Each structure stands twice: as structure tokens, then as C-alpha cells.
Amino acid sequence: MKKVLIAGATGAMGQKAVDLVNSLDGFEITAALAPHLTTENKADYHLAAEVKTYQQLAEIDDNVADIWIDFTLPNAVYADVKYALEHGMKPIVGTTGLTDDQQAELTQLSREKRVGGLIAANFGMSAVLLMKFAQEAAKYFPDVEIIEMHHGDKKDAPSGTALSTAKLIDQVRPAHETNPAETESLPGARGGDYHGIKIHAVRLPGYIAHEQVLFGGDGEALTIRQDSFDRQSFMNGVKVALEKVDQLSELVIGLENIL
Amino acid sequence: MKKVLIAGATGAMGQKAVDLVNSLDGFEITAALAPHLTTENKADYHLAAEVKTYQQLAEIDDNVADIWIDFTLPNAVYADVKYALEHGMKPIVGTTGLTDDQQAELTQLSREKRVGGLIAANFGMSAVLLMKFAQEAAKYFPDVEIIEMHHGDKKDAPSGTALSTAKLIDQVRPAHETNPAETESLPGARGGDYHGIKIHAVRLPGYIAHEQVLFGGDGEALTIRQDSFDRQSFMNGVKVALEKVDQLSELVIGLENIL
Amino acid sequence: MKKVLIAGATGAMGQKAVDLVNSLDGFEITAALAPHLTTENKADYHLAAEVKTYQQLAEIDDNVADIWIDFTLPNAVYADVKYALEHGMKPIVGTTGLTDDQQAELTQLSREKRVGGLIAANFGMSAVLLMKFAQEAAKYFPDVEIIEMHHGDKKDAPSGTALSTAKLIDQVRPAHETNPAETESLPGARGGDYHGIKIHAVRLPGYIAHEQVLFGGDGEALTIRQDSFDRQSFMNGVKVALEKVDQLSELVIGLENIL
Amino acid sequence: MKKVLIAGATGAMGQKAVDLVNSLDGFEITAALAPHLTTENKADYHLAAEVKTYQQLAEIDDNVADIWIDFTLPNAVYADVKYALEHGMKPIVGTTGLTDDQQAELTQLSREKRVGGLIAANFGMSAVLLMKFAQEAAKYFPDVEIIEMHHGDKKDAPSGTALSTAKLIDQVRPAHETNPAETESLPGARGGDYHGIKIHAVRLPGYIAHEQVLFGGDGEALTIRQDSFDRQSFMNGVKVALEKVDQLSELVIGLENIL
């Protein structure tokens, strides 16, 4: 039975992590960390009677957990992960806000301490697999465009996931020029351009978060699509991380790198 | 049995029309018009022994046909349709090139002669129904975007069908403002803009001609999509026109107006 | 300003109706009916100070409203609608459970009282439009199949909406035989069969409620798809009903019949 | 410059292969084999003046080519591949009809001769990538269904590609039970069942050959789709094989195994 500490256990994502671990065979929550968490209110957060509660790092008992799940805040995550690594707990981190330098430093620390772990910006399995498959397909189908669709309130376009997908494709696809003579009778009709990869952003009420990568070749097409209906989907990736973290010998950045 | 004359019978579309009428119960080809068509070569064009062949308008016998199908050339179509109306033949016209003035004049002539008929820019039933349904849905779903996808060789964007769809929607949808505060980190990501309706054009090899209209509302979405795999699809609309032309009392512009 | 009474105001759908009417210009909630609703707790249900609250029909004041929105229970809806019609309030009814006989009787009553209204099993605009468009398209594309996709917990297949769509198509499509010689190496691969219309039901976690109608013809395809992401979508149809109910001279069954 | 012999050069697929190799930098056709091919008619088959033509294996000159592309007939392919391997030409084989025993024997021969090559039932890159990605995704999304769509004339259901996809998924997905209590009000609505994986086959005119694999998980979905519009698409896979065959040390079965 693996022992798990959940940092940020009272937040929206933290609570989903609590429910996930409570539902899994082979894992148990032994500790939880959150600023206002107490012995009295822990049941409200679906934490069992035997779970130890802490409000700050300094209070945490030694050997209380094997794995550290972190859904906290940008200003807390660096100290959290450092603490986890130094105390032999494998971090699984969904909190954003670590700088590249901090990630590099923590990775170095993980090597010294020989403690594996994972930091991921996106724990949605469908989005992560879409990016992985899109990168692979682009080697064979250099003609590719991306369409992402989000709810009407999203202000920025294109989405971060769409742009990340384009960057991954750009790293591998053969030198390529798409239809240089094309013209637009409505400016923007051909979409945004990232190194020759066209990205189209749709914004409509009702939609949630969806991405399609469209590949075309002589006489055929390949389309990869993912739909995120609910942030619950992040827990699919956390579950995969829990199953794989024991096989990691250092801190890995990106869920796709442990699949 | 309705008698049909096919003008432009030796061209690519004319040949498809020949095959269509040959396959239909209740219709027979009685005459065909084309510059190089002769009694000797008519069998090569799937025309039966009893079909009369003409190389120019002046040769055509009176009462040779009830219906005139026209897939000729822009410089021939005006004289053809005028000839048909004046001789009591109901024209079904897929040839492009008539000016607005010519269309108005021919419509006036059709009223005087009391001869119905149809002129259509697009005989693809899926495209025509898509436009019709999109216009109707826009009354209830004012939030709408269009994605069209064509083969990589298409030079202009967006497609004529996509633009026509946007115009039809614009005629009916309630006053509407979509997400005014949105920003593009890649210019063009949000597509081309026709009166607030965003249009996205995808160009990829393998693709043929496809259009999607996406509607979004609170908690739901409606999508209408059409795919044209082959110009054979135009004959679906010609068949509908053949079945309905008897009910028309004047020349009608647009297949959607007889559905 | 139209005055609205909401029956079942404290239920899940009733609460969505309360929020809808509160958000609309030209309409105001003047009364609400629900078994446990009181002056004291009405604010908890987003009802303004001036809204009159009733726990049963007998308490309702004359002339308190022009329109009666009903999201109650099967055993209450008949008496509710009868009461509304007899007191000159136009009913908009989303509650299920009325028998065909009861619907006929209430429609007759609405004619006698000259009070319009609407009873609808489905207020989701995308589903209602899909059914309407599918029926219209089937006249031109008799080759059609239906795919519906729902969450993995749905026990019955196909969905009621898919079956209703097939029935509507069956009423209009030309006599038709699809590929009589086909064989299945896996029984069921070709789907369920409703009068020759194939219906395929997909059940997967993550999915919510989605339906596609696929039409095929020579060289082309037409697809109509609707996605219900959230029951909030029902309010789109209630809003349309509120806007149109004044134009109705009797009780109408089915949202599609007022579009 | 790699020298290529094309066996079956006058057939439909052979001709596509001729056009492909003629268009590629770094490869040249040096020889062609077909029963009726002659010096006189070779230009009709897009073969250049310097291409050597043969009507049977015994005529082939030594060292005439490095690579042997085979699109012949089931009764010729075994002898062809054996001949190629024995004479140091790397076979790329799209001809069907080899038994499992013949494949095993030829693979053994390729090891002895240290000549690489590829035998593939499907050279459509989109179909091959779909199968590869579907198998990978199933490790993380055990809930999966397959929808394939073909033209209305296809007699058997489901398609071979759909069944192959299900087999690949079945090899890897975790033990899994989908909604055991479900019921069908129309028999077949839930599709055909391959080891718990549901397969749905759509047959409609206009459609060509299309396959979708739908994965669902908590709050998200992943869909992989491929469309084959034209048999030209097979040449995309032949091109990849040409580029990779030099890296192979023995005969490989299946395009997916060299990607």
C-alpha cells in the first residue's frame, strides 16, 4: 500500500485528487497539507480519521508518505517540491508557476537524492496523447492544420494546447511549404501561422475545450481530436502518474514523457 | 414520359446529365446539342439511336423536348435559355456566367411565356441543404462560425460556398456581438470576419470540398456538415429539379428555393 | 412587461427557469408555486421580494401572471395545465407524464378558452432542430443512418431522441431498400434497424448526450450533429417558447411545431 | 541513386507506383516486369526509354535493381519475393495472397541472405497510423468503440481494418467490462462485439472508406479518424517504405512495424 500526501487538499483540484486516491486500490492518503485544514474539518474534505493534517511544511512528520501530490499555488510549489524531494517523497505536481530555472534546479536535486517524480502542465490524458500522436504523425504527413474550439468567454487565441501542439509538430516535420500562392478575400480566413502550421480558433458558447489536428496526404486524411468536457479529466493523468512514478529515477517534465 | 434536351451533352457535366436521364424512369433524352455532336459519334456519348443531335440552336426542331438541361459555357447560356423559354421548354441550368441583368430579363420572359425553370449555381444537394438549414438555425443560435476545408491547391480563401452561407446567416440572425475583448497572439487565429461571422479555411492535400457550420448555445452545440467527394454529386440536385420543374410557373434562381 | 408564474420553482429545472426569466428583458417573475416555498425562503431560490409564493393551486391569486412555466412532477402537471388554461395563463410545459388522452383533452380546453401554450418533451434547441432538419433532408437523401453517443452509464439503447429521429425520417422518406445482400461477420455490426433506418448507439464514459444523422448520396454526404453538454441547454428552448407563446392560439405539442 | 524494379508495372497499383518513383528524387526505375510489357509499349506505362522490360522472372538481368516493388497477383507474389531476396533486391510488397507459412519462409530466407524488405497488407498511412495510435491510446483509455463508414455497396461488415484495429486494442487494453446491465430496444443498436469492443458499421452511398476510434474517460474523449478518399493513398506508404527499407536487416511484416 503506497502512502500519499496531498498538498492543497482543500482546493478544487486537490479535492478531486483526494477523491481519486480514496477510490484507488493500492494507495491510501496518509497526510494532507493546506493552510486552513484541521483535525476538525478534515472530514468535510473527504479525509479519513487517520489522515494527518498539516498547515505548513515545517509540521510534516518524517516518513508520513511515499508520494506527494501537489495542487497548490504558484508561490508555494517550489518550496513544496524541494521539501518532498529532500524528504524522499516522489512529487506528482500539477501546480503551475515553476520557472525553467526552478525546474532545472529541482531536476538536479532529484538526481542527487535519487527520487523520481513528475511535473506536468497538463494532466488531461486526451490532450497529452493528442500532442504525442500529432508529433508522430507529422513525420509522415507534413501537411497539417490545427483547429481548437473553446467556450465563447475565452479571451486569447489560439489556446496554449494548440500552440504547444504546433511547436511539437514543428520540431519534427520535414521542410515544407504550403500553397505559397494562396490569397485571402477575408483577411485571417487561413488562420494564424506558426512556422507554416495554420491554427484556427473557434469561440462559441456551449463549447468547453476541444482540439483537432488535421493531416492530409494524397488521397487520404488523418484527424486526431480531443474533447475536455470537465476538469475531472485531469485525474486520468494523475492516476497514470501514480502508477508509473515508482519507475522514474528522477524528476520528469511532461506527462507525455512517461507514457 | 417527359422529353429532355441536353445542351452541352459532350462536356464533363453534360455527360453526367446524359447518364442521369438515361437512368431515370419517366424521362427520356430526345435531343442533344453540342458543337461537334453528330449522328455518327452520338453513341460515344451514351446517346441512343433515336436521339436527335444538333450543333446549333437554329437547327433544333419544334416540340422536340419538354425540358432543357443546360451545362454549356458562359458565352452560350444566355441565348440557350432564351431559346428554350421562347420555344416552351423548361430550362434547368447549371451553366454559370449569367449576369444579374440577364437573370432578371430571363425571369421576366419566363413569366410572359408562362414557362417555369431553374437556374442554380450549385446543384450539390448537401451544400444547398446545409445553407438552408444554417440560415434557419441561425435564428435560434446567433453564435455561429464556419469552417471550410478544401484540397491544398485551392488558391482563394474562403470558398464561395462558405461566403454564401455567411451571407444567408447574416440576413436573419439577431443583432449580435461575439466576445469583443478577445485577442489573437497569432494574427488570423480567429479566422476571417464577415459581419461578425468568423470563417476558417483549411487547405490540405487529400481533402476535396467540405464545409461545416458550427452553432453554440448555452450547454449545447449544433453542427451541420457537408462533404463533396465527387462532382457526380451535382446530379443529385439535377434529379430533384427534374422532378419539381413541372410545378414551377416561372424561372427560379437557386435550388434552395424549390425545396 | 409579461408576467410569469413558475410552477416547480424550487426544483433543478425550475431554478434554471427562474434564472432564465430573471435575465430576460420584457419578462418578470410575479409568482412561484412549489410545495415548500415560503416568503421566508424565496430569496434562496433567486425570487425577488415582490414575487408572490404559493404552495398549492387553490391559493393562487387571479391575474397574477400571463404565462405559466411548468417544471413540476408527472402527478401534478395535468392539474397545473388545466388550472393555467382555465385562468387565462399560457402554459409552457416541460414536465413529462401527460398521457395522450390528457394532452388531447387539454388541447381541446385551450381551444375553448382561446389560450395558446406549448407542451414539449424536449426543450433542447439543438436536438429539436436536428430532428426537424433530418426529416427535411430525408426527402432528398433517403440513405440515412443515425449514431447516438451517450455516457457509459446509460442502460438503454438506442436513445429516445435517436428513435424519435428515425420515426420522423420514416414518415417522409421515399420507399427505399439499403444493400439487401449485406452480411455481418459480427452480429450487430450494422446496428439496430427501425424500418430500414440503421441506428448505432455508442456508450463511453466522458461522453454526455450527442446525436449524429448521416446522409449519403452519389458523391456527397450531409451530416447533422447535436451535442448536449449540460441540461442548461433546455432553457434555450424555453426562451424561444416565451418569445413565441403570444402568437399561439391553442396548445401546441412539440417545440418543433412553433419554429 | 537507388535503382528500382517494379513488378506488375502495368496494373492499376503498379502504375501508381511507376508514377510515384518517377516523381521521387534519389530513386529511378531501372526495370519493370509484367506479362505483356514490351519495349514498344513501355512508354504507354510511363516507363522511360532506358528502363529494361521483362515478361518473366527468368529474363531478369543481374544487378538490375536495388529495390523490388511488387503489386502483382496472389499466384505470382511468392515466387517474386523469393527471386528478389535471392538476387539481393529488397522487396516492398503490396500484393496480397501470401500464406502465413510463406511469409515465415520468406522471412527466414531474408535473414539468411541478409536482405531487408517489407510486406504490408495496407500501405495507407492514415489507416496504419490510426491502428498504431489506437493501440497505444487503449493502454490509457480502456473504454473504446469503433465506427467504420463505407460506401453502400460494401457487402460485409465490419471492415477488415476495423476488425484489425479491435484485435490490436484487445492485445493491450487492461481487463475491462463495459456496462454489463445495458439493454437494446432495437437488437444490434450497440453494435458488433469483439472481445467487449463494440464495432459499428455504417454503409451509405457517397462515402468511400473511413474509420473512427472513439475513446472515453472521465470528463474527456479522444477520437482518431482516418479517411481514404482514393487508392492513391497507398503510395504514401510505399514512399515511406522506400525511404526506410535500407535500414531493415530482414523482411518485416506490416508497415506499422517500420514507423
PDB file of all heavy atoms in Angstrom, chain D residues 172-199:
ATOM      1  N   VAL D 172      -3.745  -5.214 -25.839  1.00  0.00           N
ATOM      2  CA  VAL D 172      -3.091  -4.387 -24.818  1.00  0.00           C
ATOM      3  C   VAL D 172      -4.002  -3.805 -23.751  1.00  0.00           C
ATOM      4  O   VAL D 172      -3.531  -3.416 -22.686  1.00  0.00           O
ATOM      5  CB  VAL D 172      -2.355  -3.188 -25.464  1.00  0.00           C
ATOM      6  CG1 VAL D 172      -1.325  -3.671 -26.473  1.00  0.00           C
ATOM      7  CG2 VAL D 172      -3.348  -2.235 -26.138  1.00  0.00           C
ATOM      8  N   ARG D 173      -5.288  -3.705 -24.022  1.00  0.00           N
ATOM      9  CA  ARG D 173      -6.053  -2.936 -23.042  1.00  0.00           C
ATOM     10  C   ARG D 173      -6.252  -3.702 -21.762  1.00  0.00           C
ATOM     11  O   ARG D 173      -6.371  -4.929 -21.751  1.00  0.00           O
ATOM     12  CB  ARG D 173      -7.373  -2.439 -23.621  1.00  0.00           C
ATOM     13  CG  ARG D 173      -8.448  -3.459 -23.735  1.00  0.00           C
ATOM     14  CD  ARG D 173      -9.784  -2.745 -24.053  1.00  0.00           C
ATOM     15  NE  ARG D 173     -10.833  -3.717 -24.160  1.00  0.00           N
ATOM     16  CZ  ARG D 173     -12.110  -3.444 -24.090  1.00  0.00           C
ATOM     17  NH1 ARG D 173     -12.502  -2.176 -23.940  1.00  0.00           N
ATOM     18  NH2 ARG D 173     -13.011  -4.378 -24.172  1.00  0.00           N
ATOM     19  N   PRO D 174      -6.298  -2.976 -20.645  1.00  0.00           N
ATOM     20  CA  PRO D 174      -6.476  -3.616 -19.345  1.00  0.00           C
ATOM     21  C   PRO D 174      -7.799  -4.380 -19.287  1.00  0.00           C
ATOM     22  O   PRO D 174      -8.743  -4.057 -20.012  1.00  0.00           O
ATOM     23  CB  PRO D 174      -6.510  -2.431 -18.367  1.00  0.00           C
ATOM     24  CG  PRO D 174      -5.852  -1.298 -19.084  1.00  0.00           C
ATOM     25  CD  PRO D 174      -6.111  -1.523 -20.538  1.00  0.00           C
ATOM     26  N   ALA D 175      -7.889  -5.389 -18.434  1.00  0.00           N
ATOM     27  CA  ALA D 175      -9.137  -6.148 -18.243  1.00  0.00           C
ATOM     28  C   ALA D 175     -10.253  -5.149 -18.010  1.00  0.00           C
ATOM     29  O   ALA D 175     -10.113  -4.188 -17.263  1.00  0.00           O
ATOM     30  CB  ALA D 175      -8.995  -7.082 -17.049  1.00  0.00           C
ATOM     31  N   HIS D 176     -11.396  -5.420 -18.620  1.00  0.00           N
ATOM     32  CA  HIS D 176     -12.368  -4.355 -18.724  1.00  0.00           C
ATOM     33  C   HIS D 176     -13.762  -4.892 -18.967  1.00  0.00           C
ATOM     34  O   HIS D 176     -13.959  -5.813 -19.739  1.00  0.00           O
ATOM     35  CB  HIS D 176     -11.971  -3.454 -19.898  1.00  0.00           C
ATOM     36  CG  HIS D 176     -12.737  -2.199 -19.887  1.00  0.00           C
ATOM     37  ND1 HIS D 176     -12.538  -1.250 -18.930  1.00  0.00           N
ATOM     38  CD2 HIS D 176     -13.735  -1.750 -20.660  1.00  0.00           C
ATOM     39  CE1 HIS D 176     -13.375  -0.248 -19.138  1.00  0.00           C
ATOM     40  NE2 HIS D 176     -14.123  -0.538 -20.179  1.00  0.00           N
ATOM     41  N   GLU D 177     -14.754  -4.288 -18.312  1.00  0.00           N
ATOM     42  CA  GLU D 177     -16.136  -4.686 -18.526  1.00  0.00           C
ATOM     43  C   GLU D 177     -16.959  -3.436 -18.762  1.00  0.00           C
ATOM     44  O   GLU D 177     -16.955  -2.523 -17.946  1.00  0.00           O
ATOM     45  CB  GLU D 177     -16.649  -5.425 -17.295  1.00  0.00           C
ATOM     46  CG  GLU D 177     -18.009  -6.055 -17.500  1.00  0.00           C
ATOM     47  CD  GLU D 177     -18.444  -6.781 -16.234  1.00  0.00           C
ATOM     48  OE1 GLU D 177     -18.013  -6.354 -15.135  1.00  0.00           O
ATOM     49  OE2 GLU D 177     -19.196  -7.747 -16.329  1.00  0.00           O
ATOM     50  N   THR D 178     -17.678  -3.383 -19.895  1.00  0.00           N
ATOM     51  CA  THR D 178     -18.445  -2.181 -20.218  1.00  0.00           C
ATOM     52  C   THR D 178     -19.916  -2.390 -19.922  1.00  0.00           C
ATOM     53  O   THR D 178     -20.573  -3.179 -20.580  1.00  0.00           O
ATOM     54  CB  THR D 178     -18.277  -1.837 -21.713  1.00  0.00           C
ATOM     55  OG1 THR D 178     -16.889  -1.703 -21.994  1.00  0.00           O
ATOM     56  CG2 THR D 178     -18.961  -0.519 -22.041  1.00  0.00           C
ATOM     57  N   ASN D 179     -20.422  -1.647 -18.958  1.00  0.00           N
ATOM     58  CA  ASN D 179     -21.867  -1.509 -18.731  1.00  0.00           C
ATOM     59  C   ASN D 179     -22.622  -2.830 -18.893  1.00  0.00           C
ATOM     60  O   ASN D 179     -23.454  -2.979 -19.797  1.00  0.00           O
ATOM     61  CB  ASN D 179     -22.392  -0.479 -19.746  1.00  0.00           C
ATOM     62  CG  ASN D 179     -23.671   0.188 -19.251  1.00  0.00           C
ATOM     63  OD1 ASN D 179     -24.192  -0.151 -18.192  1.00  0.00           O
ATOM     64  ND2 ASN D 179     -24.181   1.113 -20.025  1.00  0.00           N
ATOM     65  N   PRO D 180     -22.387  -3.796 -18.026  1.00  0.00           N
ATOM     66  CA  PRO D 180     -22.960  -5.130 -18.257  1.00  0.00           C
ATOM     67  C   PRO D 180     -24.489  -5.149 -18.244  1.00  0.00           C
ATOM     68  O   PRO D 180     -25.095  -6.041 -18.811  1.00  0.00           O
ATOM     69  CB  PRO D 180     -22.378  -5.950 -17.109  1.00  0.00           C
ATOM     70  CG  PRO D 180     -22.009  -4.950 -16.061  1.00  0.00           C
ATOM     71  CD  PRO D 180     -21.629  -3.710 -16.787  1.00  0.00           C
ATOM     72  N   ALA D 181     -25.113  -4.147 -17.593  1.00  0.00           N
ATOM     73  CA  ALA D 181     -26.574  -4.185 -17.453  1.00  0.00           C
ATOM     74  C   ALA D 181     -27.308  -3.555 -18.615  1.00  0.00           C
ATOM     75  O   ALA D 181     -28.521  -3.416 -18.582  1.00  0.00           O
ATOM     76  CB  ALA D 181     -26.969  -3.479 -16.147  1.00  0.00           C
ATOM     77  N   GLU D 182     -26.595  -3.167 -19.659  1.00  0.00           N
ATOM     78  CA  GLU D 182     -27.275  -2.437 -20.726  1.00  0.00           C
ATOM     79  C   GLU D 182     -28.241  -3.320 -21.507  1.00  0.00           C
ATOM     80  O   GLU D 182     -28.069  -4.534 -21.601  1.00  0.00           O
ATOM     81  CB  GLU D 182     -26.260  -1.789 -21.664  1.00  0.00           C
ATOM     82  CG  GLU D 182     -25.493  -2.742 -22.519  1.00  0.00           C
ATOM     83  CD  GLU D 182     -24.461  -2.006 -23.367  1.00  0.00           C
ATOM     84  OE1 GLU D 182     -24.223  -0.812 -23.134  1.00  0.00           O
ATOM     85  OE2 GLU D 182     -23.883  -2.646 -24.256  1.00  0.00           O
ATOM     86  N   THR D 183     -29.275  -2.701 -22.060  1.00  0.00           N
ATOM     87  CA  THR D 183     -30.276  -3.414 -22.843  1.00  0.00           C
ATOM     88  C   THR D 183     -30.475  -2.712 -24.174  1.00  0.00           C
ATOM     89  O   THR D 183     -30.237  -1.511 -24.295  1.00  0.00           O
ATOM     90  CB  THR D 183     -31.628  -3.450 -22.108  1.00  0.00           C
ATOM     91  OG1 THR D 183     -32.077  -2.087 -21.945  1.00  0.00           O
ATOM     92  CG2 THR D 183     -31.509  -4.096 -20.749  1.00  0.00           C
ATOM     93  N   GLU D 184     -30.914  -3.500 -25.169  1.00  0.00           N
ATOM     94  CA  GLU D 184     -31.163  -2.952 -26.503  1.00  0.00           C
ATOM     95  C   GLU D 184     -32.654  -3.047 -26.814  1.00  0.00           C
ATOM     96  O   GLU D 184     -33.203  -4.150 -26.868  1.00  0.00           O
ATOM     97  CB  GLU D 184     -30.424  -3.772 -27.563  1.00  0.00           C
ATOM     98  CG  GLU D 184     -28.927  -3.557 -27.617  1.00  0.00           C
ATOM     99  CD  GLU D 184     -28.263  -4.467 -28.659  1.00  0.00           C
ATOM    100  OE1 GLU D 184     -28.829  -5.542 -28.932  1.00  0.00           O
ATOM    101  OE2 GLU D 184     -27.197  -4.099 -29.178  1.00  0.00           O
ATOM    102  N   SER D 185     -33.294  -1.925 -27.074  1.00  0.00           N
ATOM    103  CA  SER D 185     -34.687  -1.999 -27.503  1.00  0.00           C
ATOM    104  C   SER D 185     -34.764  -2.296 -29.002  1.00  0.00           C
ATOM    105  O   SER D 185     -35.772  -2.781 -29.490  1.00  0.00           O
ATOM    106  CB  SER D 185     -35.428  -0.712 -27.158  1.00  0.00           C
ATOM    107  OG  SER D 185     -34.855   0.386 -27.825  1.00  0.00           O
ATOM    108  N   LEU D 186     -33.678  -2.007 -29.722  1.00  0.00           N
ATOM    109  CA  LEU D 186     -33.536  -2.474 -31.110  1.00  0.00           C
ATOM    110  C   LEU D 186     -32.306  -3.377 -31.144  1.00  0.00           C
ATOM    111  O   LEU D 186     -31.185  -2.898 -30.926  1.00  0.00           O
ATOM    112  CB  LEU D 186     -33.290  -1.304 -32.082  1.00  0.00           C
ATOM    113  CG  LEU D 186     -34.424  -0.367 -32.454  1.00  0.00           C
ATOM    114  CD1 LEU D 186     -33.930   0.665 -33.459  1.00  0.00           C
ATOM    115  CD2 LEU D 186     -35.622  -1.117 -33.025  1.00  0.00           C
ATOM    116  N   PRO D 187     -32.479  -4.659 -31.428  1.00  0.00           N
ATOM    117  CA  PRO D 187     -31.303  -5.556 -31.433  1.00  0.00           C
ATOM    118  C   PRO D 187     -30.231  -5.045 -32.403  1.00  0.00           C
ATOM    119  O   PRO D 187     -30.549  -4.643 -33.522  1.00  0.00           O
ATOM    120  CB  PRO D 187     -31.892  -6.891 -31.905  1.00  0.00           C
ATOM    121  CG  PRO D 187     -33.354  -6.807 -31.620  1.00  0.00           C
ATOM    122  CD  PRO D 187     -33.724  -5.364 -31.748  1.00  0.00           C
ATOM    123  N   GLY D 188     -29.006  -5.044 -31.951  1.00  0.00           N
ATOM    124  CA  GLY D 188     -27.915  -4.583 -32.800  1.00  0.00           C
ATOM    125  C   GLY D 188     -27.541  -3.130 -32.574  1.00  0.00           C
ATOM    126  O   GLY D 188     -26.502  -2.679 -33.068  1.00  0.00           O
ATOM    127  N   ALA D 189     -28.370  -2.396 -31.834  1.00  0.00           N
ATOM    128  CA  ALA D 189     -28.092  -0.965 -31.655  1.00  0.00           C
ATOM    129  C   ALA D 189     -26.709  -0.729 -31.046  1.00  0.00           C
ATOM    130  O   ALA D 189     -26.037   0.240 -31.383  1.00  0.00           O
ATOM    131  CB  ALA D 189     -29.170  -0.313 -30.787  1.00  0.00           C
ATOM    132  N   ARG D 190     -26.305  -1.624 -30.171  1.00  0.00           N
ATOM    133  CA  ARG D 190     -24.991  -1.439 -29.528  1.00  0.00           C
ATOM    134  C   ARG D 190     -23.839  -1.981 -30.369  1.00  0.00           C
ATOM    135  O   ARG D 190     -22.694  -1.962 -29.934  1.00  0.00           O
ATOM    136  CB  ARG D 190     -24.984  -2.060 -28.132  1.00  0.00           C
ATOM    137  CG  ARG D 190     -25.787  -1.267 -27.128  1.00  0.00           C
ATOM    138  CD  ARG D 190     -25.073   0.047 -26.731  1.00  0.00           C
ATOM    139  NE  ARG D 190     -23.898  -0.249 -25.917  1.00  0.00           N
ATOM    140  CZ  ARG D 190     -22.646   0.002 -26.291  1.00  0.00           C
ATOM    141  NH1 ARG D 190     -22.372   0.542 -27.454  1.00  0.00           N
ATOM    142  NH2 ARG D 190     -21.649  -0.271 -25.493  1.00  0.00           N
ATOM    143  N   GLY D 191     -24.103  -2.414 -31.575  1.00  0.00           N
ATOM    144  CA  GLY D 191     -23.026  -2.792 -32.483  1.00  0.00           C
ATOM    145  C   GLY D 191     -22.576  -4.228 -32.353  1.00  0.00           C
ATOM    146  O   GLY D 191     -23.104  -4.996 -31.547  1.00  0.00           O
ATOM    147  N   GLY D 192     -21.587  -4.592 -33.179  1.00  0.00           N
ATOM    148  CA  GLY D 192     -20.973  -5.898 -33.071  1.00  0.00           C
ATOM    149  C   GLY D 192     -19.971  -5.890 -31.929  1.00  0.00           C
ATOM    150  O   GLY D 192     -19.475  -4.843 -31.534  1.00  0.00           O
ATOM    151  N   ASP D 193     -19.657  -7.043 -31.402  1.00  0.00           N
ATOM    152  CA  ASP D 193     -18.826  -7.121 -30.203  1.00  0.00           C
ATOM    153  C   ASP D 193     -17.611  -8.001 -30.479  1.00  0.00           C
ATOM    154  O   ASP D 193     -17.741  -9.197 -30.760  1.00  0.00           O
ATOM    155  CB  ASP D 193     -19.677  -7.710 -29.066  1.00  0.00           C
ATOM    156  CG  ASP D 193     -18.938  -7.716 -27.749  1.00  0.00           C
ATOM    157  OD1 ASP D 193     -17.875  -8.370 -27.665  1.00  0.00           O
ATOM    158  OD2 ASP D 193     -19.404  -7.053 -26.812  1.00  0.00           O
ATOM    159  N   TYR D 194     -16.417  -7.414 -30.398  1.00  0.00           N
ATOM    160  CA  TYR D 194     -15.184  -8.198 -30.491  1.00  0.00           C
ATOM    161  C   TYR D 194     -14.481  -8.150 -29.135  1.00  0.00           C
ATOM    162  O   TYR D 194     -13.894  -7.118 -28.786  1.00  0.00           O
ATOM    163  CB  TYR D 194     -14.254  -7.674 -31.580  1.00  0.00           C
ATOM    164  CG  TYR D 194     -12.985  -8.490 -31.664  1.00  0.00           C
ATOM    165  CD1 TYR D 194     -12.953  -9.690 -32.365  1.00  0.00           C
ATOM    166  CD2 TYR D 194     -11.849  -8.092 -30.977  1.00  0.00           C
ATOM    167  CE1 TYR D 194     -11.819 -10.472 -32.385  1.00  0.00           C
ATOM    168  CE2 TYR D 194     -10.697  -8.870 -30.989  1.00  0.00           C
ATOM    169  CZ  TYR D 194     -10.685 -10.053 -31.697  1.00  0.00           C
ATOM    170  OH  TYR D 194      -9.552 -10.836 -31.705  1.00  0.00           O
ATOM    171  N   HIS D 195     -14.597  -9.185 -28.372  1.00  0.00           N
ATOM    172  CA  HIS D 195     -13.979  -9.249 -27.035  1.00  0.00           C
ATOM    173  C   HIS D 195     -14.338  -8.016 -26.201  1.00  0.00           C
ATOM    174  O   HIS D 195     -13.468  -7.443 -25.533  1.00  0.00           O
ATOM    175  CB  HIS D 195     -12.466  -9.394 -27.146  1.00  0.00           C
ATOM    176  CG  HIS D 195     -12.022 -10.696 -27.731  1.00  0.00           C
ATOM    177  ND1 HIS D 195     -10.750 -11.184 -27.593  1.00  0.00           N
ATOM    178  CD2 HIS D 195     -12.682 -11.615 -28.473  1.00  0.00           C
ATOM    179  CE1 HIS D 195     -10.634 -12.340 -28.235  1.00  0.00           C
ATOM    180  NE2 HIS D 195     -11.806 -12.633 -28.775  1.00  0.00           N
ATOM    181  N   GLY D 196     -15.589  -7.597 -26.279  1.00  0.00           N
ATOM    182  CA  GLY D 196     -16.031  -6.449 -25.477  1.00  0.00           C
ATOM    183  C   GLY D 196     -15.842  -5.108 -26.155  1.00  0.00           C
ATOM    184  O   GLY D 196     -16.269  -4.083 -25.629  1.00  0.00           O
ATOM    185  N   ILE D 197     -15.191  -5.083 -27.305  1.00  0.00           N
ATOM    186  CA  ILE D 197     -15.020  -3.826 -28.048  1.00  0.00           C
ATOM    187  C   ILE D 197     -16.148  -3.738 -29.083  1.00  0.00           C
ATOM    188  O   ILE D 197     -16.275  -4.603 -29.939  1.00  0.00           O
ATOM    189  CB  ILE D 197     -13.652  -3.794 -28.764  1.00  0.00           C
ATOM    190  CG1 ILE D 197     -12.524  -3.922 -27.730  1.00  0.00           C
ATOM    191  CG2 ILE D 197     -13.505  -2.514 -29.592  1.00  0.00           C
ATOM    192  CD1 ILE D 197     -11.178  -4.257 -28.349  1.00  0.00           C
ATOM    193  N   LYS D 198     -16.952  -2.694 -28.977  1.00  0.00           N
ATOM    194  CA  LYS D 198     -18.093  -2.542 -29.869  1.00  0.00           C
ATOM    195  C   LYS D 198     -17.637  -1.953 -31.206  1.00  0.00           C
ATOM    196  O   LYS D 198     -16.875  -0.984 -31.233  1.00  0.00           O
ATOM    197  CB  LYS D 198     -19.133  -1.612 -29.254  1.00  0.00           C
ATOM    198  CG  LYS D 198     -19.720  -2.135 -27.944  1.00  0.00           C
ATOM    199  CD  LYS D 198     -20.562  -3.383 -28.162  1.00  0.00           C
ATOM    200  CE  LYS D 198     -21.259  -3.783 -26.879  1.00  0.00           C
ATOM    201  NZ  LYS D 198     -22.029  -5.029 -27.044  1.00  0.00           N
ATOM    202  N   ILE D 199     -18.132  -2.549 -32.290  1.00  0.00           N
ATOM    203  CA  ILE D 199     -17.812  -2.059 -33.637  1.00  0.00           C
ATOM    204  C   ILE D 199     -19.116  -1.756 -34.369  1.00  0.00           C
ATOM    205  O   ILE D 199     -20.020  -2.603 -34.404  1.00  0.00           O
ATOM    206  CB  ILE D 199     -17.002  -3.102 -34.442  1.00  0.00           C
ATOM    207  CG1 ILE D 199     -15.763  -3.543 -33.649  1.00  0.00           C
ATOM    208  CG2 ILE D 199     -16.611  -2.534 -35.795  1.00  0.00           C
ATOM    209  CD1 ILE D 199     -14.905  -4.576 -34.379  1.00  0.00           C
TER     210      ILE D 199
END
